[in-house]
Amino acid sequence: MNKKLIIGIIVIALISSIGTIVGLCFAIGFDSKTAGNLTRLIGAMRFIESQYVQEVDEETLINGAISGMVRSLDDPHSIYLEPRLYNLLKSETSGSFGGIGVYMGFKKEGGVYILGVIPESPGAKVGLKAGDSILAVDSKPIEEIDPAEVALKIRGEIGTNVELLIHREGEEDKTYTITRDVIKMQTVAGKMLDAREGYIRISNFSEDTGEDFKDTLTALENQGMKGLILDLRQNPGGLITSCVEVAQEIVPAGTIVSVIKRNGDKEVYTSNLKESKFPIVVLIDKNSASASELLSGALQDTKAALIVGEKSYGKGSVQTVVPMFHDDGLKITIAKYYTPSGRTVDGTGVTPDVEVVLENPLHIPHEISQENPADLQLKTAEELLAKQIDAGKIFFDDNS
């Protein structure tokens, strides 16, 4: 059989299958543009299957096509979960999988870095710090891993090791070997800084954060607190429900946050607090993300707090995991969060009312046992809060 005849047979086969595909598309109700695009997709797959230099698996091609579709969204929080990753994600709820106790963020120019480290976690014990860049996971360069897949590769069975190649400003790159473990979180810590000023740090928003915050706030009020410094620096976010529980204690009556989908469906979380009990100064930095941005944004919009520090990370989107048909799934962004004034923090972050940028970012412990003289952000917050307490109100400039 000559070469021209072989090519002719292939073309006829493709045309025949394409005709069937087009007919099915119109029968289903797709318009001509969608039918044409699906025809292109199937045509490319069939040509690769028949002509690629070596035999290929159809399911591998389909998985690659789906993954490519998700990647084209240019959203680091959306990912195709092929069966191995999907099963790993499901296994995390079984109790047999653990982690190293770090929260990760994605750099706009590419790359992954550590947003925060949970106290007493495996990551904290080996010396990982907020701001560290992850260059490789188990010797695989981070550029070869989908951003949303990085966390799944770092998690694993309790007692097993993971190796991270870490870059830290001013130091040589270093490989850390970390043993995975169950992660225990105490997310709220507080104390009185002096006779009037209270201080509460929230490291992230987990299941118990709302109740722990309420208890800590009440304890400080009983000690005579007249104003509060709320430290959300290096807080990567967490559960929206816990964020709302905290907000309901300090955000005045009205909207706290709205969750709006593409079709306009809206879910609104509100506060019934009649009025602010005392002045509040909130500390944020570039590693404050997601729920911590929603809380600081709500306090800023309602003029219930003064925001001090650096512009926050800018993560204000909602993801869901959708199971598919071959033990795989999609983790995809389905909505965005909006503050009471209707602004989104996604991609923009929260801009502080008073900017204080540290030349050398601090490693902020869960609870500050003694004040760090290099912590100019906290020092500024204390000075501003004292003025607010003396004035008996929150003010944002000399004329207010």
Side-chain angles (χ1 to χ4, degrees):
M1 190 177 291
N2 63 41
K3 186 176 180 181
K4 288 184 178 180
L5 181 58
I6 293 173
I7 294 174
I9 292 172
I10 291 172
V11 170
I12 291 171
L14 283 173
I15 291 173
S16 176
S17 63
I18 288 171
T20 302
I21 294 166
V22 172
L24 286 172
C25 287
F26 283 119
I28 293 171
F30 290 148
D31 60 26
S32 58
K33 182 178 180 181
T34 301
N37 285 329
L38 288 174
T39 301
R40 285 197 305 134
L41 178 65
I42 301 300
M45 185 182 75
R46 292 306 181 203
F47 190 82
I48 292 170
E49 285 180 314
S50 63
Q51 293 298 294
Y52 184 62
V53 68
Q54 61 189 40
E55 188 174 343
V56 293
D57 177 66
E58 181 181 272
E59 188 166 340
T60 299
L61 291 178
I62 293 294
N63 291 350
I66 297 172
S67 179
M69 279 189 271
V70 178
R71 286 189 183 194
S72 73
L73 301 174
D74 195 24
D75 176 7
H77 307 294
S78 295
I79 183 176
Y80 167 63
L81 299 164
E82 46 90 8
R84 179 183 60 84
L85 290 177
Y86 184 63
N87 286 322
L88 178 59
L89 186 65
K90 290 193 297 183
S91 297
E92 290 179 13
T93 62
S94 69
S96 61
F97 276 65
I100 64 171
V102 301
Y103 298 97
M104 287 166 288
F106 307 100
K107 298 178 181 179
K108 292 179 174 62
E109 65 276 15
V112 180
Y113 73 106
I114 295 175
L115 278 170
V117 183
I118 296 172
E120 303 302 318
S121 67
K125 290 176 181 177
V126 301
L128 297 181
K129 296 181 179 180
D132 287 347
S133 295
I134 300 175
L135 302 182
V137 180
D138 288 332
S139 300
K140 187 170 185 178
I142 211 73
E143 294 82 9
E144 298 178 13
I145 308 173
D146 278 327
E149 188 179 335
V150 176
L152 293 174
K153 286 188 173 293
I154 291 176
R155 297 173 190 142
E157 189 175 352
I158 295 167
T160 59
N161 292 336
V162 61
E163 287 188 353
L164 300 184
L165 178 61
I166 296 295
H167 171 74
R168 184 177 298 163
E169 288 296 328
E171 299 182 17
E172 291 187 4
D173 296 347
K174 179 180 177 181
T175 297
Y176 291 80
T177 300
I178 311 163
T179 303
R180 300 177 176 100
D181 201 353
V182 176
I183 304 303
K184 299 177 182 179
M185 296 182 288
Q186 180 191 350
T187 61
V188 180
K191 66 178 182 179
M192 293 295 294
L193 297 176
D194 59 27
R196 302 190 304 170
E197 296 187 10
Y199 170 92
I200 297 179
R201 167 157 170 72
I202 303 177
S203 59
N204 65 286
F205 293 89
S206 66
E207 188 174 341
D208 298 325
T209 301
E211 193 63 34
D212 289 346
F213 177 81
K214 184 176 180 178
D215 291 343
T216 304
L217 190 68
T218 299
L220 295 182
E221 288 183 88
N222 291 338
Q223 295 177 55
M225 180 177 66
K226 304 299 180 185
L228 172 66
I229 293 174
L230 179 59
D231 195 343
L232 299 178
R233 292 175 296 177
Q234 297 179 15
N235 181 323
L239 299 176
I240 180 64
T241 50
S242 294
C243 172
V244 169
E245 289 174 5
V246 171
Q248 288 172 337
E249 298 296 319
I250 53 178
V251 174
T255 298
I256 296 171
V257 61
S258 301
V259 182
I260 304 179
K261 295 184 177 181
R262 172 182 169 181
N263 63 3
D265 285 351
K266 180 189 292 188
E267 185 175 7
V268 181
Y269 296 91
T270 60
S271 169
N272 295 319
L273 186 67
K274 291 183 179 179
E275 60 182 358
S276 300
K277 298 178 182 179
F278 36 68
I280 300 173
V281 177
V282 178
L283 288 169
I284 62 172
D285 64 10
K286 63 183 180 180
N287 295 320
S288 302
S290 192
S292 61
E293 295 178 282
L294 302 181
L295 179 56
S296 55
L299 287 164
Q300 187 178 53
D301 281 3
T302 57
K303 297 192 179 298
L306 196 64
I307 312 299
V308 174
E310 302 172 67
K311 189 174 183 179
S312 62
Y313 178 73
K315 199 276 186 183
S317 58
V318 186
Q319 285 74 42
T320 190
V321 175
V322 182
M324 299 183 74
F325 303 104
H326 286 79
D327 208 21
D328 53 356
L330 289 176
K331 179 185 175 186
I332 192 165
T333 299
I334 60 166
K336 287 190 176 183
Y337 293 116
Y338 293 83
T339 67
S341 68
R343 59 175 168 150
T344 177
V345 301
D346 198 50
T348 59
V350 174
T351 301
D353 301 301
V354 179
E355 186 178 48
V356 182
V357 178
L358 300 180
E359 291 185 8
N360 299 305
L362 298 169
H363 170 57
I364 302 171
H366 181 56
E367 183 175 9
I368 299 177
S369 56
Q370 60 182 21
E371 292 186 30
N372 185 337
D375 194 348
L376 298 179
Q377 292 170 336
L378 178 58
K379 182 179 179 182
T380 300
E382 290 182 65
E383 293 172 351
L384 289 169
L385 184 59
K387 292 180 181 178
Q388 313 289 333
I389 294 172
D390 290 339
K393 65 174 182 177
I394 293 287
F395 54 87
F396 293 85
D397 56 53
D398 294 336
N399 299 318
S400 61

